[in-house]
Amino acid sequence: MTQTKKDPRKVRWTLVHPSFHFDEALAVYILTLFGKVLFPGIEEARIVFKLRDIEGITPEQMRWSADRLLNELGVLCVGCLGERGALFDEHGEKRADGKAACMLVAEYLGVAKQHEIRDLLCFVDQFDRQGHARERAVLRKVDRYSVGLTEYDIRALLRNQHRNGRDDVYLMQWMQSVIDAFVERTRRLIKLHGLVKGCNKKRSVTGDGTEIQVWLIETDEHDAPTVAQQHGAGVVIVRRPTGHAVVVNKSKRADMCAVARELRQREADAQGWSVVEGDTLDGEHSASVPNWDFNPTMGHIFNTDEQKVYDVVPTALSDEELLDMVAGHLRILEKTSL
């Protein structure tokens, strides 16, 4: 009899179809992360891709229902044996809703709305339903934390690995590490979005019908400028825990040359450094103020060596001084000059 109650059931084997998809890889990840209570042993369960690979299984047992395989042998089917009543296969005869295997797993475990996996679930589930023609539209709709590796990248990587003939066992292990890295990054970005939303160190610069917001955020996260831009910042000052700072221009209308010159002059005054005659303070490099570099093309100003090749003296300027200086000397480019 099919078990309807969600009683814990011991798992020794996880069965996935050969040449598995992103869908099944994510389902296995969710089971491993959240399924320890309902499926004890899932963390140590061996993943196999054919029933005959299960040690000691008989030809008769290979014909059992998915429910009996799970109850008596500890075989949990993911993305396969839907015709035999498997819990987590969207291809089963009674699956009119068309939900992907990973969504079936997440809903069964009650974690479909967990923030760290929600975007991956939406992408895989909607792509599974809508197919290749809609993949980019689906990605744009669900990729809310679009910094670095995307859901589409993961899917493309897996597809290429299959085409290159990679072994399924190796690929499943590889996909678990890729998904885990994505989930960890998502957790970090969720925290970063919360930090950015709570930012209370802001200035506003207006001109030529344009307003540019200048924000200062205290964090060591390198994605902070991009996240702040998503929330409306045009120029972002990131203050590291070490005291170093980076001024990142995220607006096409902001001219940072005057900011770079004034910033270097104020830094020299605060540090007690003498400005060498003829030193171009708004150039890319300055001999008089060696702890600030300026990228005129991008408009970024660095008080830190991002590659950690050499030591850089932290700025002596306070948060308020940095904010006031950037807002006071930022120039807004005319629309005709874009």
Side-chain angles (χ1 to χ4, degrees):
M1 181 180 294
T2 301
Q3 190 165 337
T4 55
K5 286 181 63 178
K6 292 183 181 179
D7 295 326
R9 291 192 271 183
K10 179 72 176 177
V11 176
R12 296 179 56 221
W13 310 87
T14 302
L15 178 66
V16 183
H17 66 75
S19 299
F20 63 90
H21 307 131
F22 191 177
D23 174 18
E24 289 80 27
L26 181 57
V28 169
Y29 180 85
I30 294 170
L31 280 164
T32 305
L33 187 62
F34 299 108
K36 304 177 189 68
V37 174
L38 287 177
F39 298 104
I42 189 66
E43 289 179 285
E44 296 81 27
R46 180 182 166 190
I47 300 173
V48 293
F49 300 91
K50 295 178 181 177
L51 275 171
R52 64 171 175 262
D53 293 336
I54 297 173
E55 295 176 8
I57 194 168
T58 66
E60 173 63 27
Q61 291 169 333
M62 291 173 65
R63 291 191 288 269
W64 285 358
S65 68
D67 200 59
R68 189 176 180 186
L69 284 168
L70 176 56
N71 289 333
E72 298 189 26
L73 297 183
V75 180
L76 180 60
C77 302
V78 177
C80 60
L81 297 196
E83 71 279 4
R84 300 195 209 174
L87 280 172
F88 306 132
D89 183 17
E90 72 274 29
H91 305 109
E93 294 179 0
K94 298 180 181 180
R95 295 295 186 200
D97 53 17
K99 292 179 180 177
C102 58
M103 185 63 78
L104 295 173
V105 167
E107 290 183 348
Y108 186 88
L109 298 177
V111 297
K113 294 184 179 180
Q114 286 284 126
H115 292 297
E116 62 264 45
I117 62 171
R118 185 174 58 190
D119 281 359
L120 280 173
L121 276 172
C122 288
F123 173 76
V124 175
D125 187 54
Q126 293 190 42
F127 178 84
D128 223 44
R129 297 178 193 221
Q130 299 179 14
H132 296 261
R134 295 291 304 281
E135 62 186 16
R136 292 190 180 276
V138 170
L139 176 65
R140 285 196 298 269
K141 182 177 179 182
V142 303
D143 188 24
R144 296 165 54 246
Y145 303 111
S146 54
V147 179
L149 188 71
T150 66
E151 295 93 330
Y152 180 76
D153 294 328
I154 299 174
R155 182 187 169 276
L157 285 168
L158 176 61
R159 184 171 53 188
N160 290 337
Q161 293 280 19
H162 277 313
R163 287 175 176 173
N164 292 333
R166 282 286 194 176
D167 176 72
D168 279 328
V169 174
Y170 165 83
L171 268 184
M172 181 60 80
Q173 294 174 342
W174 176 75
M175 278 295 289
Q176 297 307 294
S177 64
V178 171
I179 294 171
D180 188 60
F182 185 94
V183 169
E184 284 300 315
R185 191 207 68 183
T186 302
R187 287 182 180 134
R188 179 173 55 81
L189 288 175
I190 289 171
K191 292 180 180 178
L192 185 55
H193 275 269
L195 175 67
V196 169
K197 284 181 180 178
C199 174
N200 57 7
K201 295 182 178 180
K202 302 178 182 180
R203 299 288 188 275
S204 179
V205 182
T206 58
D208 195 28
T210 297
E211 179 184 63
I212 296 177
Q213 294 284 330
V214 181
W215 293 16
L216 188 145
I217 302 167
E218 298 176 55
T219 181
D220 202 28
E221 292 285 357
H222 291 276
D223 293 325
T226 300
V227 173
Q229 181 191 26
Q230 294 172 359
H231 288 275
V235 176
V236 185
I237 306 168
V238 179
R239 189 70 169 225
R240 310 286 192 209
T242 57
H244 294 87
V246 182
V247 184
V248 180
N249 177 21
K250 286 290 185 177
S251 171
K252 295 180 180 179
R253 303 291 307 280
D255 179 2
M256 303 294 289
C257 292
V259 174
R261 167 172 282 277
E262 181 65 18
L263 190 152
R264 282 171 168 161
Q265 184 63 64
R266 296 277 190 90
E267 185 74 32
D269 294 341
Q271 299 278 9
W273 297 335
S274 298
V275 177
V276 178
E277 187 175 353
D279 188 1
T280 307
L281 290 178
D282 57 356
E284 187 169 353
H285 302 291
S286 167
S288 303
V289 191
N291 65 334
W292 282 102
D293 282 335
F294 176 45
N295 183 327
T297 303
M298 300 295 294
H300 304 336
I301 312 172
F302 301 95
N303 166 234
T304 179
D305 177 32
E306 298 297 310
Q307 284 74 44
K308 297 181 172 58
V309 177
Y310 59 92
D311 291 331
V312 177
V313 178
T315 179
L317 302 173
S318 68
D319 293 351
E320 294 301 317
E321 286 176 303
L322 286 171
L323 267 173
D324 291 338
M325 187 171 14
V326 173
H329 291 81
L330 184 150
R331 297 290 177 265
I332 296 178
L333 295 170
E334 296 180 6
K335 293 180 182 179
T336 54
S337 66
L338 293 178

